[in-house]
Amino acid sequence: MNRLITICAVLLAVQLGLAAWTHLGGPGDAAAPVRGPVLPVDPATVDELRLEDNAGATLVLKKAGEGWMLPGLADFPADSGRVRALVERLASLQRSWPEATTAEAAGRFQVAADRFERRLTLRGGGKDLGRVFLGGSAGLRRVYLRAEGDQDIFAVELAGRDQELDPNSWIDTAVLRLQPDQVARIDLPGFSLIRHEDALVVEGLAANEEMVGASRDSLVERITALAVRGVLKADDPAAASLDDPVLRLAVHPVQGEVREYRFGRVETPPAPSVGGQEPQPAPARFVLRVSGHARLFEVDSWQVEEIRHLNRAALVQAKTAPAAADQPAATAPAQAAPPAGGQ
């Protein structure tokens, strides 16, 4: 009986040892956590990115000088910093313990050559430099990834927005940005701001009026830092709203051509009713045409409404009378000095 117990204990110890050895990958592997890059590509040689889904939809980003552009949007500027960060992120991925290594797992994690969520190709000089397959979620901001020609599947950090196929999700939203100190004049409905020394002030300010500096700064910042959220073709149906614009303004830079802005409001049909409730009105869309640009822009409604709200009445106030404490004190009449001897 004791011999049987001893044999069973030995067998159990052997099984546990084999399980541990198999899980760790064998002796010696524990000291090798990194075995080179997942995608051996020099970021400086990459001049094109191709992102595809399994249905054939494709997004192309191409390098142009020091920046990047979107051929699908007539070479509109892309968010170059974001594209560079993605290229550098992929090139910096280092090999570690894989999540799986089999063909069955590649299909299950959706990183197989014929079954994937996204296929991302890095190109340079007209040829492919490397390709990865991006699959299902591996956790918060993490996806499964497999490099072409490699059986190892890794879980890596990659933002969902870096897998977007919509060109508008990659545009340079700051394409209209101006430096406030390079603006000489802004013409708005009913009034203008003109540069006076180091600031823009309301033109024709009366003697009893003064600027509300905070409101003026908010207005100038909103116009010079106007962000776009999308790019539309010049003949998009939304262009009809510009025949009766809700807002027009012009920016005169210190140097260069005058920029004329025309904003149009596009009404959208209400969302369908759910559960018998009244349909909710959909938020209005605003489109913008800027002189010198062939395409229309779509902008967030809050930016347009903020510009419209900051009118002359919000920028100017009546001068306040100086407080009594600020007035110079009246001088009391001098008293005659008493005669000598106190008489």
Side-chain angles (χ1 to χ4, degrees):
M1 185 65 178
N2 290 337
R3 184 181 179 187
L4 180 60
I5 293 174
T6 301
I7 292 173
C8 290
V10 171
L11 289 175
L12 178 60
V14 171
Q15 288 178 332
L16 291 174
L18 287 172
W21 185 87
T22 302
H23 178 72
L24 294 174
D29 283 351
V34 177
R35 295 168 292 171
V38 173
L39 199 64
V41 172
D42 179 1
T45 64
V46 177
D47 58 22
E48 181 180 345
L49 268 71
R50 296 182 65 87
L51 185 62
E52 307 162 82
D53 67 10
N54 211 4
T58 303
L59 170 82
V60 178
L61 293 154
K62 284 191 175 182
K63 197 171 186 179
E66 295 300 317
W68 288 78
M69 65 180 185
L70 290 151
L73 284 180
D75 295 342
F76 192 84
D79 185 341
S80 297
R82 178 178 161 197
V83 179
R84 285 193 296 267
L86 176 58
V87 174
E88 292 170 0
R89 172 64 182 144
L90 293 171
S92 68
L93 292 174
Q94 296 295 311
R95 303 177 67 86
S96 58
W97 294 116
E99 298 289 322
T101 60
T102 66
E104 181 276 331
R108 178 160 43 89
F109 291 150
Q110 300 182 66
V111 291
D114 59 350
R115 186 182 178 190
F116 54 85
E117 289 285 334
R118 296 288 188 268
R119 179 170 59 197
L120 179 57
T121 305
L122 279 66
R123 294 173 52 83
K127 61 181 181 180
D128 293 349
L129 303 177
R131 177 177 291 127
V132 295
F133 299 96
L134 305 174
S137 172
L140 183 62
R141 294 176 59 87
R142 293 173 67 83
V143 297
Y144 293 109
L145 176 147
R146 183 182 68 85
E148 187 176 55
D150 192 347
Q151 65 180 5
D152 290 347
I153 302 169
F154 303 98
V156 302
E157 289 189 9
L158 192 67
R161 70 180 194 134
D162 288 338
Q163 303 173 55
E164 290 285 347
L165 290 168
D166 180 5
N168 274 309
S169 69
W170 289 89
I171 64 172
D172 179 6
T173 60
V175 68
L176 299 178
R177 186 179 296 273
L178 295 167
Q179 294 300 322
D181 60 359
Q182 294 302 307
V183 174
R185 179 186 180 99
I186 301 177
D187 294 324
L188 293 134
F191 72 105
S192 297
L193 294 171
I194 59 172
R195 179 158 296 281
H196 177 70
E197 296 179 352
D198 295 332
L200 291 167
V201 297
V202 170
E203 185 178 31
L205 203 63
N208 64 335
E209 293 179 325
E210 62 183 5
M211 294 293 302
V212 180
S215 297
R216 182 267 319 280
D217 294 345
S218 294
L219 177 60
V220 173
E221 180 182 5
R222 178 53 45 229
I223 294 173
T224 57
L226 187 68
V228 302
R229 62 176 302 177
V231 182
L232 306 173
K233 292 182 179 180
D235 58 352
D236 189 279
S241 66
L242 298 170
D243 294 337
D244 184 21
V246 297
L247 175 64
R248 299 181 68 171
L249 61 91
V251 178
H252 303 249
V254 174
Q255 294 181 339
E257 297 293 328
V258 177
R259 285 188 184 183
E260 296 182 354
Y261 296 67
R262 182 181 295 184
F263 297 85
R265 180 186 176 101
V266 181
E267 300 295 342
T268 54
S273 60
V274 178
Q277 297 181 349
E278 289 293 326
Q280 296 298 315
R285 295 172 53 215
F286 284 87
V287 295
L288 166 64
R289 172 168 286 154
V290 181
S291 59
H293 289 269
R295 287 179 170 258
L296 301 179
F297 301 106
E298 188 168 356
V299 297
D300 289 320
S301 59
W302 66 268
Q303 297 184 103
V304 183
E305 296 300 347
E306 188 169 318
I307 295 173
R308 297 173 70 187
H309 173 73
L310 290 168
N311 52 24
R312 190 185 191 281
L315 269 62
V316 173
Q317 65 183 6
K319 285 184 177 180
T320 56
D326 296 333
Q327 297 285 353
T331 304
Q335 294 183 354
Q343 300 293 325

